[in-house]
Amino acid sequence: MTIEKKVENGKTVLLLNGRLDTTTAPELQEMLIPEFDGGKDLLLDFTELVYVSSAGLRVLLLGEKTAKATGVEQSLKGVSDEIMEIFEMTGFADILSFE
């Protein structure tokens, strides 16, 4: 997986490309959590993401909890139907915010 970071409309955007799984989830966590200290809302762009495992779900949940604790908004965009189905089956569709 690759992660590209940019700022758009006052938000930090992380563009994820590839697979968010056991191997790559720690990389996302390492990049994601410090972003909440900056005070900017965070947008995770899933347009190029093809897969999310339970390890990836754990990082997304950690991000959501950290966002709420710091008053920063975390949202997702470009979520494919396949990944949305995973979010719906696991209840994450009710926890996460989507654009």
Side-chain angles (χ1 to χ4, degrees):
M1 179 179 70
T2 60
I3 304 171
E4 179 185 334
K5 177 182 168 183
K6 57 186 174 179
V7 176
E8 266 181 21
N9 301 322
K11 289 185 180 183
T12 299
V13 178
L14 298 180
L15 175 61
L16 294 98
N17 186 325
R19 297 171 55 90
L20 179 53
D21 56 24
T22 305
T23 305
T24 59
E27 177 186 353
L28 177 60
Q29 181 175 335
E30 191 174 296
M31 192 168 191
L32 180 70
I33 300 306
E35 289 300 324
F36 295 108
D37 292 336
K40 288 184 185 171
D41 288 341
L42 185 65
L43 178 63
L44 302 176
D45 188 340
F46 275 36
T47 305
E48 301 295 324
L49 197 69
V50 296
Y51 176 78
V52 175
S53 74
S54 59
L57 292 175
R58 185 189 63 76
V59 172
L60 295 173
L61 182 60
L62 177 62
E64 189 65 25
K65 288 181 177 181
T66 306
K68 287 192 185 336
T70 59
V72 172
E73 182 181 322
Q74 172 184 274
S75 57
L76 285 68
K77 79 170 191 175
V79 178
S80 69
D81 292 341
E82 294 83 6
I83 294 175
M84 185 57 81
E85 187 175 329
I86 293 168
F87 290 157
E88 289 169 354
M89 288 187 326
T90 59
F92 275 66
D94 298 327
I95 297 169
L96 300 173
S97 299
F98 300 92
E99 279 194 359

